[in-house]
Amino acid sequence: MEIKHSQFKRCDLVRISGRLDSATAPTLEERLEEITEAGRYRLVLDLSEVDFISSKGWWVLINTQKKCKRFNRGEVLLVNVQPQIRESLNLVGMGKYFRIYDDVASAVGSF
Amino acid sequence: MEIKHSQFKRCDLVRISGRLDSATAPTLEERLEEITEAGRYRLVLDLSEVDFISSKGWWVLINTQKKCKRFNRGEVLLVNVQPQIRESLNLVGMGKYFRIYDDVASAVGSF
Amino acid sequence: MKSARRLFAGRYDSLNEIREFIAEAAQEAGLDSQGVYAIKLAVDEACCNIIDHAYGGENRGDIDCQVDVRSDGLLVTLIDQGKPFDPNKVPSPQIGKPLKEVKPRGVGLYLIKKMVDKMEYRTSAGQGNVMRLFKHKR
Amino acid sequence: MKSARRLFAGRYDSLNEIREFIAEAAQEAGLDSQGVYAIKLAVDEACCNIIDHAYGGENRGDIDCQVDVRSDGLLVTLIDQGKPFDPNKVPSPQIGKPLKEVKPRGVGLYLIKKMVDKMEYRTSAGQGNVMRLFKHKR
Ligand SMILES: Nc1ncnc2c1ncn2[C@@H]1O[C@H](COP(=O)(O)OP(=O)(O)O)[C@@H](O)[C@H]1O
Ligand SMILES: Nc1ncnc2c1ncn2[C@@H]1O[C@H](COP(=O)(O)OP(=O)(O)O)[C@@H](O)[C@H]1O
């Protein structure tokens, strides 16, 4: 898994690539915590290059979403979730916790 | 030339593809005027798919830039200007009128 | 009909290798890309549960993984020597809760069942805990 | 050494065809992609000037366009029957003005000169106005 972070004026973009499983989820968790601990709660996660997400990965995203939405201070937006990943997410009823965009620009532009 | 327009919260994205010459410049001019006349002066022009720009095309962009920057109300940002086009722009000293970004998200995120 | 068996160390680092081992067999069994993803995800979740629950942590025991390419799909057998459990006593996760109330656990087993066409679990003193997952070809 | 000659209607719609005609010859002359772009841009600007200034508008006359593939590069000859001018009397554009003061005109001829290695213009009663543009191969 690779993580690239860009800080914009009104949100942060995190581009993730590779697999998000029990082995890599803690690394992502750390990076996202760095961002939220800096008081930045508007996140765009570009998942175009992510080809596998297990429940351990989803929990990281969901915990981050909870933190960001608290006090209405922000939100995690997902971009380009691959169909199979999206399907598994919906299957366990977690799809509704995220707004999913087709391209990064629209997600960034929505903040 | 094809033009696609998306309106975001704080800026507008215009994706242009094809050639921008004397034949097509008026069409672009019209579309950009529609946007600025709606009071929207923060524009991101994605030129990744533009393979030719003659001076008539540049004038459209420069006139739009003038209009947008007036009263500090906005700016035209360019994204992904192909090297040869960028070179011809610099040659006539017009490169300095535009900030050029490598990707749409960063440009949108800068507003 | 091809079969293969490999022993993996019970730690998260093995998961990627395990998934690759499964994916190869799944392709050989003629599963489509959705099917391959489904069985990979089910096996990943099952192995993760073995590490977390059966062994109670990483590096406490191995995961014995067998694949059987059948004419109608892929059978995966996972064996561990850890603590047994009764899948029928695990409550289904509550789906559709408001975000605030969601607790980050309890969907693994549910996902496994949804991803495969058949899930069996039995435990015996001699053999250990055996989970069998079958994914039908479409 | 290949030569070709085509007559184009003096209107903006022709510019794309003209550029394609030029690009093909430029490739044949062995120009690299920067060279091809440069000569296309120069010819586009020159033809646009013919339409705007020599003819004073679209659809008033033709542009006669000849390409000569030479061993050292590409020669393009553009002939119009409109109003002649003296390129030496055209002032250079003021480069580097603040944006507010920039007027949208006056860079075409300058761009042409910068894009090619040689630019010649002459006018004669019999032939019309002849502009010759040469782009060296690198
Ligand atoms: N392989 C296993 N060995 C022992 N216990 C297990 C195993 N798999 C699941 N369990 C038990 O079932 C519960 C539910 O599992 P699961 O749905 O995967 O969610 P989670 O792993 O997030 O708790 C676990 O908390 C554990 O008590
Ligand atoms: N082919 C031409 N025929 C007649 N006049 C020309 C021609 N090309 C250029 N000119 C004259 O030179 C001036 C400068 O041309 P140019 O640098 O291309 O800028 P622009 O076309 O924007 O005025 C024109 O305004 C015109 O008066």
Side-chain angles (χ1 to χ4, degrees), chain C residues 46 49-50 53-54 80 83-85 90 104-110 121:
Chain C
N49 277 346
I50 291 174
H53 305 301
D80 70 79
K83 196 176 66 114
F85 82 117
V90 174
R105 70 182 72 96
V107 300
L109 201 64
Y110 179 81
Y121 180 90

Side-chain angles (χ1 to χ4, degrees), chain B residues 39-90:
Chain B
R40 303 185 64 86
Y41 300 105
R42 303 203 281 197
L43 308 187
V44 174
L45 304 192
D46 181 1
L47 302 182
S48 344
E49 305 287 316
V50 171
D51 49 29
F52 182 84
I53 306 187
S54 71
S55 57
K56 288 272 182 82
W58 286 119
W59 296 130
V60 171
L61 303 186
I62 282 178
N63 283 334
T64 309
Q65 182 70 297
K66 277 184 171 178
K67 206 182 294 173
C68 288
K69 283 201 159 176
R70 200 174 296 155
F71 314 124
N72 256 325
R73 60 194 173 185
E75 185 173 353
V76 173
L77 303 179
L78 305 183
V79 177
N80 252 326
V81 183
Q82 291 185 15
Q84 290 156 337
I85 296 180
R86 201 187 273 226
E87 213 182 289
S88 63
L89 186 66
N90 288 335

Side-chain angles (χ1 to χ4, degrees), chain B residues 19-23 51-56 58-59 62-63 65-66 69 84-85 87-94 96-97, chain D residues 12-13 15-16 19 33-34 37 40-41 44-45 48 52 95-100 102-105 107-108 110-111 114-115:
Chain B
R19 35 186 191 267
L20 184 47
D21 64 3
S22 302
D51 49 29
F52 182 84
I53 306 187
S54 71
S55 57
K56 288 272 182 82
W58 286 119
W59 296 130
I62 282 178
N63 283 334
Q65 182 70 297
K66 277 184 171 178
K69 283 201 159 176
Q84 290 156 337
I85 296 180
E87 213 182 289
S88 63
L89 186 66
N90 288 335
L91 210 63
V92 291
M94 308 198 302
K96 64 165 194 166
Y97 303 135
Chain D
Y12 299 146
D13 266 355
L15 293 173
N16 188 46
R19 290 195 306 267
S33 69
Q34 273 193 297
Y37 190 84
K40 271 168 65 179
L41 180 53
D44 180 285
E45 297 287 345
C48 191
D52 290 347
I95 283 192
K97 280 192 187 176
L99 178 64
K100 277 183 196 168
V102 176
K103 295 274 165 348
R105 71 182 74 94
V107 300
Y110 179 82
L111 252 183
K114 289 282 183 182
M115 287 289 131

Side-chain angles (χ1 to χ4, degrees), chain C residues 17-63:
Chain C
E17 278 176 85
I18 296 175
R19 290 195 307 267
E20 281 174 3
F21 178 59
I22 299 299
E24 200 187 313
Q27 262 143 15
E28 210 167 304
L31 301 192
D32 60 12
S33 69
Q34 273 193 298
V36 174
Y37 190 85
I39 186 72
K40 270 167 66 179
L41 180 54
V43 171
D44 180 285
E45 297 287 346
C47 292
C48 191
N49 277 346
I50 291 174
I51 297 168
D52 290 348
H53 305 301
Y55 289 130
E58 290 189 276
N59 299 312
R60 313 255 174 100
D62 293 330
I63 301 171

Side-chain angles (χ1 to χ4, degrees), chain C:
Chain C
M1 248 159 275
K2 194 201 125 173
S3 291
R5 187 167 189 166
R6 274 178 65 185
L7 211 63
F8 294 94
R11 56 168 177 261
Y12 299 146
D13 266 356
S14 305
L15 293 173
N16 189 46
E17 278 176 85
I18 296 175
R19 290 195 307 267
E20 281 174 3
F21 178 59
I22 299 299
E24 200 187 313
Q27 262 143 15
E28 210 167 304
L31 301 192
D32 60 12
S33 69
Q34 273 193 298
V36 174
Y37 190 85
I39 186 72
K40 270 167 66 179
L41 180 54
V43 171
D44 180 285
E45 297 287 346
C47 292
C48 191
N49 277 346
I50 291 174
I51 297 168
D52 290 348
H53 305 301
Y55 289 130
E58 290 189 276
N59 299 312
R60 313 255 174 100
D62 293 330
I63 301 171
D64 176 346
C65 180
Q66 180 168 337
V67 289
D68 294 285
V69 175
R70 303 221 164 147
S71 60
D72 57 346
L74 181 72
L75 176 68
V76 179
T77 309
L78 302 169
I79 306 179
D80 70 79
Q81 306 299 329
K83 196 176 66 114
F85 82 117
D86 183 351
N88 297 317
K89 294 210 172 123
V90 174
S92 285
Q94 281 190 291
I95 284 193
K97 279 193 187 177
L99 178 64
K100 278 182 197 170
E101 296 165 24
V102 176
K103 294 273 164 348
R105 70 182 72 96
V107 300
L109 201 64
Y110 179 81
L111 251 183
I112 296 169
K113 286 183 198 156
K114 289 282 183 182
M115 287 290 131
V116 299
D117 295 297
K118 208 156 148 190
M119 190 276 252
E120 277 173 20
Y121 180 90
R122 64 191 160 71
T123 180
S124 70
Q127 243 198 317
N129 309 310
V130 181
M131 181 175 278
R132 286 153 58 92
L133 304 172
F134 182 73
K135 184 75 188 170
H136 240 294
K137 186 161 88 178
R138 275 199 294 206

Side-chain angles (χ1 to χ4, degrees), chain D residues 2 22 31 41 49 52 56 86 94 107-109 111-112 122:
Chain D
K2 193 199 126 177
I22 298 299
L31 300 192
L41 180 53
N49 277 346
D52 290 347
D86 183 352
Q94 281 190 291
V107 300
L109 200 63
L111 252 183
I112 296 169
R122 65 190 159 71

Side-chain angles (χ1 to χ4, degrees), chain A residues 62-98:
Chain A
I62 283 178
N63 283 335
T64 310
Q65 181 69 298
K66 277 184 172 179
K67 205 182 297 174
C68 289
K69 282 202 159 175
R70 199 172 299 153
F71 314 124
N72 256 325
R73 60 193 172 185
E75 184 174 355
V76 173
L77 303 178
L78 305 183
V79 177
N80 251 326
V81 184
Q82 291 185 17
Q84 291 155 336
I85 296 180
R86 200 188 276 227
E87 212 182 289
S88 62
L89 186 68
N90 288 335
L91 209 63
V92 291
M94 308 199 300
K96 63 166 194 162
Y97 302 135
F98 297 98

